Amino acid sequence: MSNGVEVRRVLGETDRQLRLSGKVGFDSLPDQMVTKSTMKGFDFNIMCIGETGIGKSTLIDALFKTNFEGEQTHHKMDRVGINSNTYQLMESNVKLTLTVVDSVGYGDQINKENSYQPLVGYIDTHYEKYLQEELKINRNIQNYHDTRIHVCLYFLSPTGHSIKSLDLVTMKALDKKVNIIPIIAKADSISRDELDQFKERINRELINNNVEIYRFPVDDDTIMQVNSTMNEQMPFAVVGSREEIVINNQKVRAREYAWGVVEVENEAHCDFVKLREMLIRTNMEDLRERTHTVHYELYRREQLQRMGSKEIAEPIRGNVKDMYEMKRQQYKLELEKKEQRLKTNFISKVKQKETELVSAENNLQEEFEKLRRMHAEERKELEEKRRQLDSEMADFTKIRASYQATRAQTDKANKAKKN
């Protein structure tokens, strides 16, 4: 066989040879995908949760080496708000549409019971927008601006003691909806020993409260070692700064104190570089993929089940007859359940009516007995009054007869005197 692929076809007594002019070339498919993705650009959305003034905006500026414009917030918010800003970034001809979602006034209220609800609502709202785009007849997912949250940077206060109850409740409410990466903000405010103990305490409390945080994937041999090492060092203790200071003839982002300088990108000072490498350089695509295949898929399944698509949990395999029979059985079971519910409701209502009638009958019987007793007492009183009246009439009759006899004697005596 010569170079390339040889195909023979017999036409009578003559053989014709067909040869390809070059290599097949489907190994260029990854290059085509890279070119297409580069032209389209990428969406990446970050949610920052933490108390006001903890350094959320400063850290985002340091992560992307720029100064994003944002509004200053204060501690007088009566409820938790959401502030979303979208930016267009370019690096080596790669376009990135970055959306930063900030929790405004988080943890500033006296009653913090429902502080996490606006955050959950925001995430669900943008899952719902993506789902509605998928359900359209003429959908355009390829060009859709994905606003789903890909990662949540949860800023923990550097108390050095333990996680606040508000933080545990919020992370537990979000761990099934978004990739959570807890970080210790302003880590230069506590000592190294206190920081190590604080990290151990955080990890222990997260495990005890069944809070699932994002773990860097270890299924890829090329990044397995570094991701495994970084998983052990979470949560990252970071320091952010917008100020640039000249150190050794180089401008670096740092925080300058009276006792010295804390360099943001110095790994001996904080974990900022580790966070940036893991978040942006190594695992950004995994965060995007996990958001779509795990968190969004869970939301999508729940919503479709609510809308009646019960077969999504166990896809139907087989011919149309089997599908029809399965659907008929499901419909029959639903009718039987509905009939049973109606019977139960009817019996319950009948029993309730019987109870009401018995109660009404008892009330009528009590009222009748009460009236009967009142009638008997009144009759007894009338009899007593009648006896008293008869006695008084008899006494009156005796008095009248005595009076008449006395008067007759008096009249007779007076008449005798006149004669």
Side-chain angles (χ1 to χ4, degrees), residues 13 24 34 87 105 110 120 148 176 192 199 208 245 286 315 332 339 355 360 382:
E13 297 179 354
V24 175
V34 169
Y87 310 95
I110 297 176
V120 174
R148 297 172 298 177
K176 295 295 189 298
R192 175 60 63 181
K199 284 186 176 184
N208 293 338
I245 301 175
D286 183 74
K332 183 179 178 181
E339 182 182 3
T355 303
L382 289 174

Side-chain angles (χ1 to χ4, degrees), residues 45-241:
N45 308 314
I46 303 176
M47 173 176 279
C48 299
I49 301 177
E51 299 175 357
T52 304
I54 203 170
K56 302 187 291 294
S57 300
T58 304
L59 182 68
I60 294 297
D61 290 351
L63 282 173
F64 293 94
K65 293 186 176 181
T66 186
N67 290 326
F68 297 116
E69 296 180 358
E71 298 179 359
Q72 294 292 331
T73 58
H74 52 79
H75 293 272
K76 298 180 181 180
M77 301 289 292
D78 57 351
R79 59 184 177 84
V80 178
I82 301 295
N83 186 15
S84 176
N85 294 292
T86 300
Y87 310 95
Q88 299 293 333
L89 305 181
M90 179 73 73
E91 183 178 85
S92 300
N93 296 325
V94 177
K95 294 185 296 184
L96 179 67
T97 301
L98 175 67
T99 300
V100 180
V101 180
D102 187 13
S103 59
V104 181
Y106 180 78
D108 293 342
Q109 295 74 36
I110 297 176
N111 183 5
K112 303 178 178 62
E113 183 178 359
N114 299 320
S115 296
Y116 66 89
Q117 290 183 353
L119 307 172
V120 174
Y122 182 89
I123 295 172
D124 287 345
T125 297
H126 290 272
Y127 280 156
E128 183 64 25
K129 288 183 179 180
Y130 194 90
L131 177 60
Q132 293 303 320
E133 182 66 25
E134 279 191 332
L135 296 177
K136 288 182 179 179
I137 296 177
N138 298 320
R139 59 183 180 175
N140 189 16
I141 296 296
Q142 295 297 327
N143 297 322
Y144 178 76
H145 177 208
D146 187 4
T147 57
R148 297 172 298 177
I149 299 299
H150 299 122
V151 63
C152 170
L153 298 181
Y154 200 99
F155 290 70
L156 299 172
S157 299
T159 61
H161 301 293
S162 62
I163 304 180
K164 296 179 181 180
S165 299
L166 174 62
D167 298 330
L168 286 174
V169 171
T170 302
M171 282 194 281
K172 186 59 182 176
L174 295 175
D175 63 354
K176 295 295 189 298
K177 295 182 176 293
V178 69
N179 302 310
I180 301 176
I181 298 181
I183 58 179
I184 302 172
K186 297 184 177 181
D188 54 338
S189 61
I190 56 178
S191 66
R192 175 60 63 181
D193 292 338
E194 291 175 336
L195 188 58
D196 293 338
Q197 295 176 7
F198 190 33
K199 284 186 176 184
E200 293 179 2
R201 198 172 295 115
I202 290 172
N203 288 322
R204 185 166 59 250
E205 291 187 2
L206 291 176
I207 294 174
N208 293 338
N209 290 276
N210 297 320
V211 177
E212 298 179 10
I213 62 173
Y214 174 75
R215 295 293 179 180
F216 304 117
V218 293
D219 51 355
D220 188 346
D221 293 339
T222 59
I223 58 175
M224 178 179 64
Q225 183 62 41
V226 62
N227 278 354
S228 178
T229 302
M230 292 299 104
N231 282 331
E232 296 176 356
Q233 297 190 24
M234 289 179 64
F236 296 124
V238 299
V239 176
S241 176

Side-chain angles (χ1 to χ4, degrees), residues 314-335:
E314 297 180 0
I316 299 175
R317 297 180 176 87
N319 54 30
V320 177
K321 182 179 179 181
D322 295 337
M323 185 183 299
Y324 169 78
E325 183 63 24
M326 185 174 180
K327 287 286 187 181
R328 192 180 71 84
Q329 292 295 333
Q330 289 179 352
Y331 184 68
K332 183 179 178 181
L333 289 175
E334 290 178 0
L335 287 179

